Amino acid sequence: MLKKDQIEAFFARLAAANPEPKAELNYINPYTLLVAVALSAQATDVSVNKATEPLFKVADTPEKMVKLGEAKLKGYIKTIGLFNTKAKNVIRLSEMLIEKYGGKVPEDRDALQELPGVGRKTANVVLNIAFGHPTIAVDTHLFRVCNRTGLAPGKTPLAVELALEKKVPVKYRRHAHHWLILHGRYICKARKPDCSICVVREICQFKGKTLIEG
């Protein structure tokens, strides 16, 4: 497990390498972000972006999405896994946003989690990206990085999230989950991490590091 000074150095290096990390899901406003994240469950950001580019041109508000209807929505997202269930959830969450929040996305985790198809991870992503909250969304990449490196080991995503909330220095919390997700997606990959180009390799506690050439 990394010590306090190591954690500071860990994030300082990630921040230096990518000062302003960006989400890879395309969106227009908080509502389209919510829909995109909900659609991304068990799907790649690339596949979601391909589907939502034409979708968001015709439905970028809850009202427009409800008017579009479940059947037509399925036509836009049929290339995404679990599209039948996701279409049903998107229509219902859109209706709930209209009924309970005047068509606005609530800036509250509990309220977001009451929406169909929205779990804690999705709620945290929306709060972070749309509203600037220092929330941490733990996906498979982030979970792997935190356990592999010794940054915030935990047996469940929630355990890792809560550990990070205690350990991440305040100045890094706004972008922490972006840095860790991107690091896991492109560097600290599941099968074979690219340790030779990793900016935190000297800090990382992973015993199975790939050989560093040169």
Side-chain angles (χ1 to χ4, degrees):
M1 192 176 297
L2 300 186
K3 297 177 181 178
K4 187 175 181 179
D5 60 331
Q6 292 175 309
I7 293 173
E8 170 70 36
F10 192 103
F11 282 102
R13 292 188 182 195
L14 293 179
N18 188 4
E20 290 293 329
K22 302 294 182 184
E24 296 189 319
L25 282 173
N26 295 332
Y27 65 97
I28 301 166
N29 51 36
Y31 171 71
T32 52
L33 173 65
L34 174 63
V35 171
V37 180
L39 293 176
S40 72
Q42 299 181 49
T44 65
D45 289 358
V46 172
S47 68
V48 173
N49 287 339
K50 285 182 179 179
T52 57
E53 183 177 3
L55 172 63
F56 291 159
K57 288 180 180 178
V58 297
D60 60 356
T61 67
E63 292 81 5
K64 291 178 183 177
M65 191 68 75
V66 171
K67 186 176 181 180
L68 180 67
E70 186 177 328
K72 289 184 179 178
L73 173 57
K74 287 180 181 179
Y76 283 96
I77 67 171
K78 61 186 178 183
T79 55
I80 301 174
L82 307 175
F83 72 92
N84 284 312
T85 298
K86 290 177 179 178
K88 189 182 298 292
N89 285 339
V90 167
I91 294 300
R92 184 58 190 136
L93 73 81
S94 299
E95 291 172 341
M96 286 181 67
L97 289 176
I98 295 168
E99 293 165 5
K100 298 184 68 174
Y101 304 105
K104 303 294 183 182
V105 175
E107 193 175 339
D108 178 81
R109 183 157 55 199
D110 290 338
L112 286 168
Q113 287 185 251
E114 289 179 358
L115 300 172
V118 178
R120 187 180 180 92
K121 183 180 75 173
T122 296
N124 281 344
V125 171
V126 172
L127 290 174
N128 181 271
I129 298 175
F131 301 111
H133 290 217
T135 48
I136 297 173
V138 179
D139 72 347
T140 54
H141 298 297
L142 192 149
F143 185 78
R144 179 176 64 254
V145 170
C146 288
N147 276 286
R148 180 184 275 171
T149 63
L151 175 63
K155 293 184 178 181
T156 66
L158 180 58
V160 169
E161 179 188 335
L162 296 178
L164 285 171
E165 287 182 352
K166 294 179 180 178
K167 295 181 177 185
V168 179
V170 174
K171 63 182 176 181
Y172 297 122
R173 285 183 192 168
R174 174 71 174 84
H175 294 312
H177 97 270
H178 274 128
W179 284 318
L180 294 172
I181 287 171
L182 293 173
H183 190 68
R185 184 173 290 169
Y186 297 111
I187 305 296
C188 197
K189 294 175 283 190
R191 293 188 179 181
K192 187 180 180 182
D194 289 329
C195 301
S196 63
I197 58 172
C198 175
V199 297
V200 295
R201 61 177 178 263
E202 293 90 357
I203 304 169
C204 172
Q205 302 295 303
F206 181 45
K207 293 181 179 179
K209 290 177 187 175
T210 52
L211 292 175
I212 299 173
E213 300 176 0

